[in-house]
Amino acid sequence: MKVLSLNFLSCAVKGCKSSSDSYPLHPKDAELVQDDIEVNAQLLINLLPRIDWTALTTTATELGFPALPPQAPTPEELEADEAKLKDLHHLLMETQIMEGKLVCASCGHEYAVREGIANFLLPSHLV
Ligand SMILES: [Zn+2]
């Protein structure tokens, strides 16, 4: 799964809906692969307002990436700065979690990631 997808996922456990700790999920024992995908500047610029930047900075640090700036770049900044654009593209689009777990900080549930797919099916007592 792409790092981008992780930015749109929170814990599915019923009791976690109201907890701010249930987002973002925290990667654990993550095995990363890097895909080589052509940069689509317009796509990234359009996505930017929908990205939760605070969550992304947490995820990037947890995955061992260099720290992101505390504030998200504006679309204009991103458009004008090719290095920044490429870094963001690399993190969001090219980096995939292939194996590992995604852990909820609220309830501790661990979602397994296998072959790049996160399993969000919950045991019945948690639904
Ligand atoms: Zn949870």
Side-chain angles (χ1 to χ4, degrees), residues 6-123:
L6 194 51
N7 201 252
F8 292 98
L9 291 170
S10 59
C11 183
V13 173
K14 202 175 169 188
C16 284
K17 296 284 180 210
S18 57
S19 168
S20 59
D21 288 338
S22 65
Y23 175 86
L25 297 172
H26 302 282
K28 185 180 164 192
D29 303 330
E31 280 176 35
L32 304 181
V33 293
Q34 310 292 346
D35 292 336
D36 201 4
I37 298 170
E38 203 177 328
V39 178
N40 183 337
Q42 201 54 53
L43 176 69
L44 273 178
I45 288 161
N46 290 342
L47 269 171
L48 194 61
R50 296 175 55 202
I51 302 280
D52 184 317
W53 191 260
T54 306
L56 186 63
T57 55
T58 302
T59 302
T61 305
E62 288 175 349
L63 291 176
F65 279 79
L68 296 176
Q71 296 286 325
T74 63
E76 292 75 23
E77 280 168 354
L78 203 56
E79 208 164 6
D81 189 337
E82 203 180 335
K84 205 175 268 182
L85 191 76
K86 276 192 173 151
D87 282 351
L88 196 58
H89 170 78
H90 180 67
L91 175 63
L92 288 174
M93 303 294 182
E94 294 188 322
T95 304
Q96 296 236 36
I97 300 173
M98 285 308 283
E99 303 287 333
K101 295 180 182 93
L102 302 174
V103 185
C104 172
S106 168
C107 69
H109 190 74
E110 298 187 342
Y111 297 90
V113 181
R114 290 201 186 92
E115 293 175 14
I117 313 252
N119 182 357
F120 271 87
L121 292 176
L122 291 170

